[in-house]
Amino acid sequence: MIYENTLAFAQQMDSKDGLKGYRDKFYFPLMHGKKTIYFTGNSLGLQPKTTQDYVLNELEDWATFGVEGHFHARNKWLSYHEQFAAPVAKIVGALPAEIVVMNQLTVNLHLLMVSFYRPNNKRYKILCEAKAFPSDQYAMQSQVKFHGYNPGDAIIEIAAREGENCIRDEDIIEAIEKNKDSLAMILIGGVNYFTGQVFDMKAITEAGHKAGAIVGFDLAHAAGNLKLHLHDWNVDFACWCSYKYLNSGPGGVAGVYINERHLTEKDIPRFSGWWGHDKGTRFKMEKDFVPIPSAEAWQMSNAPVLSMAAHKAAVDIFDEAGMDALVEKAELLTGYLEFVIDEINKSLEQKLEIITPRDKTQRGCQLSVVAHGRGKDLFNKLTEAGVISDWREPNVIRCAPVPLYNSFEDVFTFGEILKSSL
Ligand SMILES: *Cc1c(COP(=O)(O)O)cnc(C)c1O
């Protein structure tokens, strides 16, 4: 693609964009009466205009039916979560039975570690990326301590090489091989939240299995952003939140994938609740737990229908747009943002540095930009001019042009604002 840093070029790209109709399906925050340039869909996705109706329907059905809504609501609450298995499986590349939507991300990470982090005195270590999202670090540390091990010894962090920003996949794989006798589990963020780097999940899974370890991924920044093939890659487990790229609202209900080979494993440790129990006999209220032979066995509580209604509105949009089209546009749009920043750099003495990989197979739609020599006032100027991006201390601006609702014109206008703010 040959890009041009002009309004005419951006508008021409928008007019050819097969997904352009989706922009009007979302609410954009306004600033000074104008739509903002919203580049933080990686942090909190925008609200689909349909969400209110989906949630209102459930409130109405609750008013109309009371408890009978479990059976008579337009979408029966008893089986409400079942609607997600097929469309969410498509988003992450899984079989429907491998998916359940429940709880929130960090909670699910803990529940999955109950099942998949089973250390013994020989194998007790967890391998992860350095500077993982703090919640993941706390979850891993507390699980390690819960089993009586010392996080300093049991957690192996793989860092970027001196002078580099991203972690090399080959370094992760080498560390897996080196620690093959003591590794219990590998847990990595599919996309690093800070650099936007995508890890080679297929190769890491293969290497992990060869070393005899369980392999899981936190896909908070990957679900709805990348083409994933969790089942074909043979990943053991994964989890993600729904409020980032998946646009399901603040603190929205989260998603879990568990590979089918674990679904019928008899003695897998699990924290159980009645919503994981065999549906045919659940309401006999008997004391012995009979797991559903799908990822639903990990469900403990009945479904949070209001939060799920918001998720349903968003998932229906993904199902219609399709990940193939979204990823195709994301590559073009992110490539355009990269081009525009490179153009601006030509006239700068102290250049902006994109620390996200240049290789488009190693990134999604986020670019992390180091604003060398410029403090937070650059970010404040951008905000004042109507750009909502994300600042990370000490000097990183994260920008995510999201294919569902961002346009090429957004990227062009962002560039103009950036230029005048420097
Ligand atoms: C956003 C994010 C979280 C947030 O966890 P919650 O339980 O949803 O609050 C955790 N881990 C990663 C990698 C994230 O990107």
Side-chain angles (χ1 to χ4, degrees):
M1 171 61 59
I2 303 193
Y3 294 117
E4 290 169 34
N5 191 16
T6 63
L7 179 60
F9 174 81
Q11 288 177 337
Q12 189 204 347
M13 289 298 287
D14 284 333
S15 72
K16 288 191 299 195
D17 170 16
L19 296 173
K20 62 173 179 277
Y22 285 96
R23 183 174 171 84
D24 279 336
K25 294 183 192 283
F26 289 85
Y27 289 113
F28 281 74
L30 301 178
M31 197 179 288
H32 312 305
K34 271 179 49 193
K35 265 189 194 176
T36 45
I37 311 274
Y38 195 81
F39 278 179
T40 33
N42 57 343
S43 186
L44 185 75
L46 290 180
Q47 182 185 147
K49 289 179 179 167
T50 47
T51 303
Q52 293 185 20
D53 277 343
Y54 279 64
V55 176
L56 271 175
N57 283 351
E58 301 312 325
L59 289 172
E60 272 172 25
D61 286 354
W62 178 19
T64 308
F65 300 111
V67 71
E68 293 294 312
H70 285 290
F71 309 101
H72 299 310
R74 282 162 280 185
N75 301 299
K76 286 184 223 159
W77 304 333
L78 187 66
S79 51
Y80 199 93
H81 68 275
E82 293 174 11
Q83 312 172 77
F84 294 110
V88 172
K90 271 204 253 170
I91 295 173
V92 297
L95 305 177
E98 294 172 325
I99 298 295
V100 65
V101 164
M102 62 181 192
N103 311 315
Q104 290 180 278
L105 172 54
T106 309
V107 173
N108 288 339
L109 205 48
H110 275 293
L111 293 176
L112 288 166
M113 281 198 266
V114 166
S115 298
F116 295 109
Y117 176 55
R118 283 173 283 172
N120 58 45
N121 284 340
K122 186 164 171 281
R123 287 186 178 275
Y124 61 96
K125 293 190 178 175
I126 303 178
L127 186 140
C128 64
E129 85 267 38
K131 297 188 188 162
F133 193 91
S135 200
D136 300 37
Q137 297 189 44
Y138 308 150
M140 287 184 273
Q141 288 160 8
S142 56
Q143 286 281 338
V144 162
K145 283 193 215 162
F146 178 75
H147 286 284
Y149 298 93
N150 170 8
D153 167 44
I155 299 180
I156 305 170
E157 293 187 358
I158 310 304
R161 294 187 189 179
E162 188 71 31
E164 297 183 8
N165 293 301
C166 293
I167 302 166
R168 297 193 192 192
D169 288 310
E170 67 202 72
D171 289 354
I172 296 178
I173 290 174
E174 197 186 302
I176 292 171
E177 283 162 6
K178 207 173 109 204
N179 292 283
K180 68 179 188 315
D181 296 327
S182 58
L183 269 188
M185 186 181 79
I186 295 158
L187 179 64
I188 290 185
V191 179
N192 180 270
Y193 79 98
F194 188 77
T195 61
Q197 174 186 10
V198 173
F199 292 101
D200 187 341
M201 289 175 254
K202 181 169 185 265
I204 291 171
T205 305
E206 268 171 28
H209 286 166
K210 221 161 116 196
I214 286 275
V215 184
F217 291 98
D218 183 327
L219 302 176
H221 283 264
N225 177 22
L226 308 177
K227 198 83 181 109
L228 299 165
H229 304 279
L230 298 180
H231 178 84
D232 289 345
W233 294 339
N234 213 10
V235 172
D236 291 291
F237 71 89
C239 51
W240 54 90
C241 53
S242 67
Y243 50 80
K244 290 172 179 165
Y245 292 100
L246 292 176
N247 308 319
S248 302
V253 69
V256 163
Y257 153 91
I258 298 162
N259 187 285
E260 77 177 329
R261 74 176 157 278
H262 299 301
L263 299 177
T264 48
E265 228 169 84
K266 254 184 125 274
D267 296 319
I268 198 160
R270 184 198 287 121
F271 286 171
S272 306
W274 71 324
W275 234 248
H277 184 93
D278 171 53
K279 291 171 199 175
T281 54
R282 181 187 289 150
F283 290 98
K284 290 194 172 160
M285 311 303 241
E286 287 171 349
K287 73 174 185 182
D288 289 324
F289 180 73
V290 180
I292 303 170
S294 79
E296 292 167 279
W298 274 260
Q299 264 185 144
M300 297 194 292
S301 296
N302 73 94
V305 167
L306 296 181
S307 156
M308 284 188 170
H311 191 38
K312 183 77 172 80
V315 166
D316 282 352
I317 294 177
F318 268 84
D319 205 43
E320 188 186 278
M323 285 308 298
D324 287 335
L326 287 166
V327 166
E328 193 183 324
K329 177 175 170 188
E331 283 183 7
L332 285 174
L333 199 59
T334 310
Y336 191 42
L337 178 62
E338 178 181 40
F339 170 81
V340 166
I341 294 171
D342 286 343
E343 285 295 295
I344 294 171
N345 263 337
K346 286 184 181 162
S347 58
L348 293 181
E349 220 161 277
Q350 193 154 41
K351 301 201 185 305
L352 300 166
E353 183 192 2
I354 298 173
I355 58 171
T356 307
R358 294 277 177 172
D359 173 355
K360 61 185 196 293
T361 65
Q362 288 179 45
R363 68 185 187 200
C365 58
Q366 169 184 329
L367 291 184
S368 300
V369 181
V370 181
H372 290 292
R374 301 161 182 98
K376 200 171 174 190
D377 66 297
L378 169 64
F379 175 75
N380 292 339
K381 276 190 203 158
L382 291 174
T383 309
E384 188 46 35
V387 173
I388 303 192
S389 56
D390 175 89
W391 177 262
R392 293 284 133 162
E393 294 295 342
N395 59 355
V396 170
I397 302 175
R398 296 187 306 165
C399 299
V402 169
L404 256 181
Y405 48 72
N406 284 122
S407 62
F408 290 86
E409 187 169 339
D410 276 345
V411 172
F412 171 77
T413 311
F414 168 79
E416 294 301 289
I417 294 172
L418 178 61
K419 225 186 297 177
S420 61
S421 305
L422 283 163

